[in-house]
Amino acid sequence: MSKTLINVIDREGAVREVEWEPEQSLMETLRDNDFPILASCGGTVSCATCHVFLEKPVVESLSPRTEDELELLEDAEAYNPEASRLSCQIKQCSSLAGINVTLAPEED
Amino acid sequence: MSEESIVIIGAGHAGVQAAVRLTELGWPGRIVLVEEQDGPTYERPPLSKEYLKAGASDEIPALRKEHYFDEKRIERIKGSGVVGLDREARNVTLSDGGQVQYSKLIIATGSQARPLTVPGSDLPGIHLLKTRADAEALRTAMQPGSEVVIIGAGYIGLEVAAAAAALGCATTVLEFQDRVMSRVTSDVVSRHFEELHQEHDTRFVFGTAVTEVRGDGRVQEVVTADGATYAADVVVAGIGVVPRQELAEAAGITVKDGIVVDLDSRTSDPSVYAVGDVTRLIDEENGINRRLESIQSALAQAINAANHIMGQAPARHEVPWFWTVQHGVRLQTAGLRSPDDDVVVRGTPESGHFSVLYLRGGRLAAIDTIAALGDFTAGKKLVASGAHIDTDLAADPANKLTTAVRELVDETR
């Protein structure tokens, strides 16, 4: 089975390729690879500290945001309706290989 | 000279975060994580929520994958508690008799569920909920048709009640106070959640104290002070937690219902830090004296302990926040309310979506949002800034919460 590799762009703009393991959420992968997301609620749609931007076609290919996720995102300073997702809500899937994931800025 | 070691006792949210932060900051020596349990690290919030639901996955998400610790050269001693702390020799004694030297020690032993102490408390069928093993046992015990009696209507008790009712158990909650979550929220929020549970056929008995648990070989009924009895196949005690401070206390470190720490997570011993549920933060200058059961606080304390060890400035102190989900309804709280606060209800409970603002001297001290996450982030920021709130504007959910600010007070220290 081929590995699901994705590109993560950190808050300084540096790009790093990381492996996204099966069964993991995107948030868990980011955390395991040392990206500075606090994910303080542990992936339960409570805090928006795992906010990322995905490319528009990727967002459109995913199942839609739940009401809770949307409410949290809309309140984030950097919210972008076309690109914002909570990474804890995105499960690994081989069709997501090669996507670019950009960390949202930290909230004030 | 031997390499400097940081020993961290406990691999919950706080202990793991401390190890992670130390590696992020490039701690050059050893990091040794002493873990009481043998399995992988795990998230706690799902234990009383998703995990108990019918058909839920057996998997509980890990705090970090197992290989993460290897890659970061975080040494792990699994399946071992710490039974002794010698501050002079700077070593800890493990339950198997082994000893580990430290240069700095971080105590992250957390809390344990407060056990029932009435007669019959040792009967099989009585559950506490704190660890993965507890959750597994409870999930196995709660079967459709079971009579489940829950003692305590706090977060844990109510989350279990929601899971039990959804599983088709006959669910009863016994509570000493006259409403649910009385310690953490206001009357209006309590009543809303009480009704929610009643709609799911959960029975509440308020103002009642459990005096005995009876059963022949295993639990059969719960007895209260007024002589009433409640049939039970499963009893769950959700009556709070107690900090696991014995190790520090025995070693002469200052404890006051929690290991006393400052804003840098330092204890009374300069070589020893404590983080997470086991701590009581005392900062007299800012009028802080509290023990919080909060993941967000545990993570912040862990980061600050590591920062202090590495000579970094403390991270900003976030407003404490908490959440619970019961029957799919999410309650999120930011800030710490006081029973004397002025209460402003924003929106109506009948609509199912509303917030409750707690004002102290006209400033927003805390906020509860009920299925109204849109107010949560804004409210948290306003609590942090000490905003003065126009209550008429704030009460109408048609206005964004931020437009109800009369005056922003910069409380940045």
Side-chain angles (χ1 to χ4, degrees):
Chain A
M1 207 175 81
S2 63
K3 287 182 175 180
T4 302
L5 298 170
I6 57 172
N7 304 304
V8 182
I9 299 125
D10 70 17
R11 295 191 181 114
E12 280 72 51
V15 186
R16 179 148 65 96
E17 189 179 55
V18 301
E19 189 187 345
W20 189 357
E21 294 181 22
E23 305 298 320
Q24 278 197 317
S25 71
L26 180 55
M27 177 275 279
E28 290 173 86
T29 297
L30 296 174
R31 202 164 63 172
D32 278 354
N33 284 284
D34 281 344
F35 290 100
I37 55 163
L38 200 52
S40 48
C41 79
T44 64
V45 202
S46 303
C47 71
T49 56
C50 70
H51 180 187
V52 296
F53 304 121
L54 305 176
E55 289 148 314
K56 194 178 169 192
V58 178
V59 172
E60 286 168 353
S61 76
L62 295 166
S63 52
R65 306 167 179 103
T66 62
E67 199 180 320
D68 281 350
E69 181 181 348
L70 196 58
E71 280 202 54
L72 274 175
L73 284 171
E74 282 173 345
D75 228 45
E77 278 159 27
Y79 175 57
N80 175 343
E82 289 183 352
S84 286
R85 289 294 316 243
L86 294 183
S87 56
C88 67
Q89 296 306 297
I90 301 168
K91 274 279 172 204
Q92 192 265 8
C93 172
S94 54
S95 66
L96 295 174
I99 63 167
N100 296 315
V101 178
T102 305
L103 303 190
E106 258 182 306
E107 293 272 316
D108 277 339
Chain B
M1 204 179 96
S2 68
E3 202 177 8
E4 294 218 9
S5 298
I6 295 177
V7 172
I8 302 168
I9 310 173
H13 290 267
V16 168
Q17 183 68 56
V20 167
R21 183 65 178 166
L22 285 166
T23 61
E24 278 175 12
L25 295 177
W27 167 254
R30 295 170 66 200
I31 300 172
V32 183
L33 197 51
V34 182
E35 308 176 28
E36 214 162 33
Q37 295 173 37
D38 223 354
T41 63
Y42 58 93
E43 294 273 0
R44 304 283 171 141
L47 298 182
S48 55
K49 301 182 178 79
E50 290 82 0
Y51 183 77
L52 293 181
K53 288 182 184 165
S57 161
D58 285 336
E59 294 293 316
I60 298 169
L63 292 171
R64 295 292 186 284
K65 281 274 178 190
E66 291 295 282
H67 60 67
Y68 175 90
F69 297 95
D70 300 333
E71 285 162 14
K72 298 296 168 188
R73 297 195 305 113
I74 296 168
E75 300 171 43
R76 302 169 77 187
I77 300 176
K78 286 192 178 201
S80 197
V82 171
V83 295
L85 162 57
D86 183 337
R87 294 197 286 134
E88 212 154 289
R90 290 202 191 178
N91 70 39
V92 294
T93 304
L94 306 175
S95 50
D96 65 4
Q99 291 196 332
V100 190
Q101 290 285 136
Y102 66 82
S103 321
K104 301 281 185 197
L105 180 68
I106 301 177
I107 301 176
T109 44
S111 56
Q112 63 192 31
R114 187 189 301 280
L116 270 183
T117 53
V118 298
S121 294
D122 54 352
L123 282 171
I126 301 180
H127 295 257
L128 302 173
L129 181 48
K130 184 70 190 170
T131 65
R132 175 205 298 263
D134 293 340
E136 285 169 359
L138 183 57
R139 189 162 92 157
T140 307
M142 290 199 305
Q143 296 296 324
S146 303
E147 301 253 24
V148 177
V149 174
I150 294 152
I151 304 169
Y155 279 0
I156 291 290
L158 293 178
E159 287 173 3
V160 172
L167 286 166
C169 302
T171 310
T172 302
V173 179
L174 308 178
E175 165 60 45
F176 185 70
Q177 300 295 333
D178 63 355
R179 58 188 177 91
V180 304
M181 297 187 282
S182 61
R183 192 168 63 94
V184 295
T185 193
S186 55
D187 198 72
V188 60
V189 178
S190 292
R191 298 303 168 204
H192 185 73
F193 277 88
E194 191 182 312
E195 280 170 27
L196 173 69
H197 284 270
Q198 281 164 344
E199 283 162 18
H200 290 85
D201 297 326
T202 292
R203 170 173 60 158
F204 287 98
V205 184
F206 292 111
T208 193
V210 171
T211 53
E212 189 181 354
V213 183
R214 287 187 197 142
D216 186 9
R218 61 171 293 114
V219 59
Q220 285 168 322
E221 61 182 19
V222 177
V223 187
T224 53
D226 53 7
T229 58
Y230 301 89
D233 305 308
V234 177
V235 174
V236 184
I239 52 176
V241 299
V242 286
R244 300 183 61 194
Q245 62 185 20
E246 300 80 5
L247 183 73
E249 192 172 12
I253 291 171
T254 305
V255 300
K256 286 177 187 165
D257 181 32
I259 301 174
V260 174
V261 295
D262 66 10
L263 289 167
D264 291 315
S265 309
R266 287 181 295 176
T267 70
S268 60
D269 178 334
S271 300
V272 180
Y273 296 73
V275 294
D277 276 15
V278 75
T279 65
R280 170 173 294 274
L281 172 62
I282 298 185
D283 178 42
E284 278 167 11
E285 204 174 306
N286 294 302
I288 298 172
N289 182 340
R290 67 191 180 210
R291 184 166 68 75
L292 290 180
E293 294 140 27
S294 151
I295 287 174
Q296 159 263 320
S297 165
L299 298 179
Q301 285 186 313
I303 288 168
N304 279 342
N307 282 12
H308 192 265
I309 288 170
M310 296 299 291
Q312 301 261 332
R316 194 165 39 108
H317 271 261
E318 202 187 353
V319 170
W321 66 272
F322 311 87
W323 82 98
T324 177
V325 182
Q326 299 161 28
H327 290 300
V329 178
R330 174 179 292 278
L331 165 62
Q332 297 210 171
T333 297
L336 298 168
R337 84 181 244 290
S338 146
D340 302 329
D341 293 339
D342 295 323
V343 172
V344 176
V345 179
R346 171 175 162 82
T348 61
E350 294 73 36
S351 69
H353 307 268
F354 66 108
S355 302
V356 181
L357 282 61
Y358 302 96
L359 301 175
R360 215 169 294 160
R363 296 180 182 197
L364 192 63
I367 183 170
D368 285 333
T369 65
I370 295 89
L373 272 175
D375 283 349
F376 177 70
T377 315
K380 185 146 76 75
K381 285 179 193 160
L382 294 180
V383 170
S385 66
H388 277 84
I389 299 290
D390 183 314
T391 52
D392 290 338
L393 283 174
D396 183 353
N399 303 318
K400 284 202 97 167
L401 195 51
T402 42
T403 61
V405 174
R406 277 214 312 240
E407 185 191 354
L408 272 176
V409 182
D410 186 8
E411 293 216 320
T412 317
R413 289 189 286 271

